[in-house]
Amino acid sequence: MTLTLPDTTRLTRQNFPPDFVFGVATSSYQIEGAAHEGGRSPSIWDTFCATPGKVMNGENGDVACDHYHRLDSDLDLIASLNVNAYRFSVAWPRIIPGGRGATNQAGLDFYSRLVDGLLARDITPWLTLYHWDLPQVLQDKGGWPERDTALAFGDYAAVVAAELGDRVKHWITINEPWVAAFLGYGVGIHAPGHTDLAESFAASHHLLLAHGLGVQAVRASVPDAQVGITLNLGAAYPASSSPADEAAAHRQDGFANRWYLGPVFGRGYPQDTVDLLGAASPQAQGLVLPGDLEMISSPSDFLGVNMYSRSVVEDAPDNGDFLGVKQVKVEGSEYTGFDWEVAPQSLTDLMLRLQRDYNPAAIYITENGATYPDHVSPDGTVHDTARTRYFQQHLAALGAAITGGAKMAGYFAWSLMDNFEWAEGYDKRFGIVHVDFGTQARTLKASGKWYQDFLARTQQSKAT
Ligand code: FCB
């Protein structure tokens, strides 16, 4: 398929294949609020937020965007954007408050209403089973470093699939296992805030195992489901052409990308990363049991990729960790509010490489977006020109990947609206809709208006 891409500012939906899916994405803890309502039990994020010094300004998701109480108007808002699809996540502690065992009908009803509301508006639901809100009761038993948590996830996936599988056909098992494992258990800047390399790699194995169990559970009750995992991937480039920096980029790629891609695509864990980890590897810990790799590589229908930036690294043998790489800032590059480099070309490179090395049946960008310090102007608008440009550049880069042969099937902008940005609290805004957290007023930003117009210029029906 050949695409002719005009100058990025004049992109329209017609520049993409007719059945290409466009959506917006959110996650449960970041938007729902109602943290103590509807039978929901605390998650590791409630606990983490309540721990002094962990989250910016001591903020939490108790109220967030109050989406739980504003479901219908938020669904109207989503529909107004002209998207085909909406990616959301289900909060495990709303469905099985005890982590295992009894289900909570109020929780199931909430997501059932959400799904019905989407379908009534001709929007395809894309459901993520795990976007980081592990029931605290399961963390109390050891959390993701324990194999039982993966087994519990399999049971939870079966419950949600049985309840919603008649209407939901697009399923994402786990969102960003690298973040959940490494930021949560390795460096401790995410819940549950542990700092132990061996624990974090035990967690990564069990999150991948949970993915495999989730694929099986969804397939068992939804034979026509499309199921996949979402990985956060970023192409890794050496800061110079020195062999040492090139080797550093390869190590970075193993740690952040190949560690997850390998097992999911049936190649097992990359041996170079296993060797670097030594005693901290799940293999050395005796955690990779017979059958695990087969389970993790259960055939899936697509690969979900969250892409925000790239990494540029140099060799740093003395920095005291197993990886020995240092991220460097690139002179002359533009950076977003998170200090992430705007690197659209790396999206093209990454997609072509994924297609070449792993040959997924389809790739969806399940998140892409940028944070900037937005302000509502006196004219009532948020003039977030930099965010609009970011979307345009990344969509053009996607087009180039399609032209190059990557099987790109869809794109979800992160995020529908400003929300609770984890350890950064409400300080970092990623929405294409601005949220005033005092009044809960939603205001479409200029970037949202651009996306809406971009999507309106199409012949395509919204049903996919
Ligand atoms: C991703 C997360 C998402 C959001 C964006 C900015 O890592 O999946 O919840 O926080 O980053």
Side-chain angles (χ1 to χ4, degrees), residues 26-27 30 87 131-132 175-176 179 183 190 230 232 306 308 338 340 367 369 371 414-415 419-422 430:
T26 62
S27 87
Q30 292 181 277
R87 175 179 176 230
H131 201 127
W132 308 347
N175 180 71
E176 301 192 351
V179 172
L183 301 191
H190 274 199
T230 276
N232 55 300
N306 293 352
Y308 288 91
F338 242 143
W340 293 347
E367 290 180 23
T371 179
W414 183 273
S415 181
N419 56 48
F420 176 75
E421 181 44 44
W422 309 114
F430 272 91

Side-chain angles (χ1 to χ4, degrees), residues 25-100:
T26 62
S27 87
S28 46
Y29 191 69
Q30 292 181 277
I31 67 165
E32 284 178 3
H36 311 290
E37 290 174 51
R40 177 185 181 278
S41 68
S43 78
I44 53 174
W45 271 94
D46 298 271
T47 310
F48 191 69
C49 291
T51 312
K54 296 296 185 190
V55 174
M56 182 86 80
N57 305 320
E59 288 163 342
N60 60 49
D62 280 3
V63 177
C65 304
D66 198 30
H67 171 71
Y68 190 82
H69 296 122
R70 293 164 195 264
L71 183 58
D72 292 321
S73 52
D74 282 345
L75 288 169
D76 289 341
L77 177 65
I78 298 166
S80 77
L81 296 171
N82 300 320
V83 291
N84 316 89
Y86 174 56
R87 175 179 176 230
F88 62 97
S89 78
V90 171
W92 185 347
R94 286 197 192 283
I95 305 298
I96 308 182
R100 285 195 112 152

